[in-house]
Amino acid sequence: MGTFAEAVLERVRAARVRLEAAYAAEDAFEAALAEDELEDALRLARKHGISTEERVSEG
């Protein structure tokens, strides 16, 4: 996987973590920002054909 794809996937992961934290804190403003970031990161991934499905490592 290339550096660009790894960066996009990291951006998606970080946005998901931020969104979960905002939901846990019941922070509607932070959740809205995190949702926007996640949507943007997912759009970028789709545009470049990068799968954002969670991968489960074996072993």
Side-chain angles (χ1 to χ4, degrees):
M1 177 179 315
T3 304
F4 177 77
E6 289 175 10
V8 170
L9 290 175
E10 179 54 33
R11 185 174 167 195
V12 169
R13 281 189 290 271
R16 285 178 173 157
V17 167
R18 182 178 174 194
L19 184 57
E20 288 179 25
Y23 285 157
E26 298 181 4
D27 185 337
F29 180 73
E30 181 64 25
L33 293 176
E35 287 172 353
D36 286 346
E37 172 62 18
L38 180 57
E39 288 175 14
D40 191 51
L42 290 171
R43 179 196 54 77
L44 184 62
R46 279 191 304 273
K47 179 180 176 182
H48 293 280
I50 301 168
S51 174
T52 58
E53 296 299 315
E54 296 290 331
R55 291 180 176 87
V56 177
S57 54
E58 297 179 21

